[in-house]
Amino acid sequence: MIETTRRTVLAGMAALPFVPALARADTVGGITQLDPELDTILDANAPIEVIADGIQWAEGPVWVKEGGYLLFSDPPANIAWRWKEGEGKSVFLKPSGLAGPVPKAIREAGSNGMVMDAQGRLVMADSGTRAIARVDLATKKKTILADRYRGQRFNSCNDLVIAKSGAIYFTDPPYGLAEGDASPLKELKFNGVYRLGTDGKVALLDPGQTRPNGIGLSPDQKTLYVSVSDDKAPYIHAYPLGEDGLPRGSRVFADFRDGVAKGLPGLPDGMKVGASGHLFASGPGGIHVLAPDGRRLGLISTGKAAANSAFGEDGRTLFITTSDKVVRVRLRISGW
């Protein structure tokens, strides 16, 4: 979660499309086409359907294929929600993060980013517990995979992605701490990007980003993407990876300073990378659809700041967590 995401949407956002099949109250926002290539990804007239609301701050969606349902986080409420077609939303895990009394110094006690591993287990960035954790879906038992770097506790783990090798890449900004970088609970002097190897060892990849947030991997596993939710440096960085899974430098992949200057809601936050290599990345105005070479193809706008997204159903649905709502839009290609 980022401080600026509560800003009111300015006038001039994309108009609501006319959708005969759905009640107008069940759809929000609209899609802006910026490049003809967007037509291969989704229809700019596709409805953006609200499937869940009444959430403090929706985050970290993940589709559970075995069972056909969506899980998503509500970090400030310390709840992980479950949504299924025909059933609506229900509590899946409470607390989803820090168990027991929550100190005033903890701002977001719940889970944040969530993914499924190759064995069908839930893996989460547990903001409140300040750890990367695995959860058994049947028993809901939580196992801490990592909570420290060189003996010092993480700040508030935010988002993660699992490589085909089984390694976990994750970000660790201070958003879960009430006083951020000034928090008395903060043990590390930086906000890092990390890799948790299958051997259990944690490697620091980049200590230099002010607010590392969303994270993703290219389909060929050769590029790591990291969003920075800093209004003075609202970028997505691309890190070429070596055979050992470690970065060999970095470059700015996408620059969202223009959207920040316009006052559009949100900053670079969560992202998902599709099988085609296209990025669905949150940024000012909503979810930006980016080509593998960084071109902006389109913008999916809900009228509020977008936090993250996930592919689900048959792989051709994009679920988006946006402020107090979860929405979905159909794609023309599968994200898997």
Side-chain angles (χ1 to χ4, degrees):
M1 179 177 172
I2 50 183
E3 290 86 346
T4 53
T5 55
R6 306 298 188 190
R7 289 181 293 183
T8 303
V9 182
L10 299 185
M13 296 294 287
L16 181 70
F18 174 68
V19 185
L22 293 170
R24 196 172 181 84
D26 293 332
T27 61
V28 294
I31 300 170
T32 303
Q33 183 177 26
L34 303 175
D35 187 290
E37 188 178 330
L38 185 70
D39 283 335
T40 66
I41 308 298
L42 79 162
D43 181 353
N45 294 312
I48 302 170
E49 180 189 3
V50 177
I51 63 165
D53 57 13
I55 305 148
Q56 285 193 43
W57 179 254
E59 260 286 7
V62 62
W63 183 257
V64 182
K65 293 182 182 180
E66 190 72 29
Y69 58 88
L70 184 77
L71 295 176
F72 61 93
S73 297
D74 189 342
N78 204 357
I79 297 173
W81 294 97
R82 177 185 185 272
W83 176 89
K84 188 169 185 176
E85 188 75 64
E87 298 179 6
K89 84 177 196 291
S90 58
V91 172
F92 172 75
L93 200 60
K94 182 180 182 180
S96 63
L98 184 62
V102 177
K104 291 183 179 180
I106 297 294
R107 178 184 175 213
E108 296 178 350
S111 59
N112 201 303
M114 299 190 292
V115 296
M116 300 297 293
D117 70 10
Q119 289 73 44
R121 299 170 298 189
L122 179 67
V123 183
M124 64 169 57
D126 186 333
S127 176
T129 309
R130 303 163 67 184
I132 299 300
R134 185 172 61 224
V135 177
D136 183 282
L137 290 176
T139 65
K140 300 183 181 178
K141 179 182 178 182
K142 182 183 292 186
T143 301
I144 301 299
L145 302 180
D147 62 358
R148 284 170 169 78
Y149 174 68
R150 294 186 175 177
Q152 294 182 302
R153 294 194 67 186
F154 294 132
N155 304 319
S156 55
C157 300
N158 188 282
D159 206 359
L160 72 168
V161 65
I162 301 180
K164 292 177 182 177
S165 67
I168 301 171
Y169 293 86
F170 64 98
T171 58
D172 186 41
Y175 288 128
L177 305 177
E179 298 177 59
D181 286 328
S183 173
L185 298 181
K186 196 173 193 292
E187 298 180 16
L188 293 161
K189 295 181 180 180
F190 51 83
N191 301 311
V193 180
Y194 298 91
R195 180 182 185 272
L196 172 60
T198 54
D199 58 1
K201 294 181 180 179
V202 177
L204 176 63
L205 306 186
D206 189 349
Q209 302 297 349
T210 54
R211 292 291 184 270
N213 201 321
I215 193 163
L217 277 167
S218 61
D220 63 7
Q221 308 286 282
K222 293 182 179 180
T223 304
L224 179 72
Y225 301 101
V226 175
S227 295
V228 179
S229 53
D230 183 339
D231 58 4
K232 297 180 177 58
Y235 306 128
I236 295 176
H237 293 267
Y239 299 77
L241 299 177
E243 292 296 323
D244 56 2
L246 301 178
R248 303 290 191 266
S250 69
R251 62 184 175 87
V252 172
F253 177 78
D255 183 342
F256 295 107
R257 287 178 296 178
D258 56 343
V260 172
K262 293 175 182 176
L264 298 179
L267 287 169
D269 198 331
M271 73 173 80
K272 290 298 179 292
V273 184
S276 63
H278 291 86
L279 278 72
F280 296 80
S282 60
I287 296 291
H288 294 258
V289 183
L290 305 173
D293 60 9
R295 285 177 296 118
R296 294 192 205 180
L297 307 182
L299 175 65
I300 306 170
S301 171
T302 66
K304 296 185 177 182
N308 212 329
S309 61
F311 305 111
E313 297 181 329
D314 58 356
R316 298 166 73 97
T317 294
L318 184 73
F319 291 94
I320 300 170
T321 49
T322 172
S323 187
D324 60 345
K325 294 178 174 58
V326 180
V327 303
R328 65 180 173 183
V329 62
R330 287 292 287 173
L331 305 176
R332 284 176 165 159
I333 60 172
S334 174
W336 297 330

